[in-house]
Amino acid sequence: MRNFITIEGCEGVGKTYQTNLLKQYCREMGYDVVFTREPGGSDIAEQIRKIILDANNSDMDDLCEAFLYAASRIQHLKDIVKPALNEGKVVICDRYVDSSYVYQGIGRGLGLDKIVKLNEIAVGDYMPEFTVFLDLSPENAFKRKGGADSNDRMEAIGYAFHLKVYEGYKRLIAENPARFEVIDASGAKEQTQAKLRAALARRGVFR
Ligand code: TYD
């Protein structure tokens, strides 16, 4: 069995913070877990990430954006995810295909079907065993974060877009209830971390 886990959520939910805490916990416990992220995660994929997120690239076509995310994913799978899974390691990835489904498919309005097809080509059967969704509405997330980062092309798009993304996640969760572990991220950071660890334990990641 593969142990491929992804973490998803809207901007400002504290995903990076929670993932870092989890990484620290795994290190302390001696769990051999590979933590990685998208877009990026390996040399070439990180170079693609820079192009995607560069605020100067405001003219980027939405479909070009979708292909760049998929291209970064292909390289990252080859360099990091597949080798680690083949060695029997647990891989926890901060964002993966669900981000493309909701940001490009639903948020950008390219259509979920099209983005699912594109990503079938990119990932083949490398779908996550399960996906943690850190649940916090964009309204609360931006409040907590103190506004969007104008240097980040995706964050700067605006509230209506991020609301569509959030609703997109809710749709994916409704359509794939068995794959998602939904965690309420509106409470204290420590509470969210405890729920995250409990979800991983429940799914048999930490034994
Ligand atoms: P990042 O700074 O890593 O944001 P976060 O901390 O919220 O994960 O930037 C990644 C951005 O790219 C984020 O706005 C979500 C977006 N994204 C997509 O639009 N499609 C994708 O397939 C992926 C992986 C990310």
Side-chain angles (χ1 to χ4, degrees), residues 7-17 37-40 49 52-53 65-66 68-70 72-73 93-105 108 115 119 145 149 152-157 161-162 165 169:
I7 303 184
E8 297 279 349
C10 294
E11 318 292 310
V13 299
K15 204 163 40 57
T16 308
Y17 179 86
R37 70 158 182 192
E38 282 203 355
R49 175 189 172 95
I52 303 174
L53 298 182
E65 176 185 291
L68 286 179
Y69 277 114
S72 150
R73 183 159 299 133
C93 188
D94 181 347
R95 296 196 181 278
Y96 192 60
V97 282
D98 294 305
S99 285
S100 283
Y101 297 165
V102 297
Y103 280 78
Q104 282 66 53
R108 294 296 196 195
I115 300 303
N119 278 280
K145 200 173 187 295
D149 176 0
D152 183 312
R153 204 173 59 85
M154 299 305 287
E155 272 199 35
I157 301 172
F161 174 83
H162 291 287
V165 165
Y169 275 123

Side-chain angles (χ1 to χ4, degrees), residues 128-195:
E129 265 56 63
F130 70 93
T131 299
V132 173
F133 178 66
L134 295 179
D135 190 353
L136 185 67
S137 70
E139 191 186 356
N140 288 331
F142 280 116
K143 235 184 255 164
R144 190 192 268 182
K145 200 173 187 295
D149 176 0
S150 60
N151 293 317
D152 183 312
R153 204 173 59 85
M154 299 305 287
E155 272 199 35
I157 301 172
Y159 180 69
F161 174 83
H162 291 287
L163 196 58
K164 268 201 262 178
V165 165
Y166 183 63
E167 283 161 1
Y169 275 123
K170 291 285 162 149
R171 176 175 158 193
L172 288 186
I173 292 160
E175 288 171 3
N176 306 275
R179 180 161 69 82
F180 279 94
E181 283 282 344
V182 179
I183 290 178
D184 174 12
S186 65
K189 289 172 177 175
E190 300 71 30
Q191 278 176 332
T192 305
Q193 180 65 201
K195 287 179 200 159

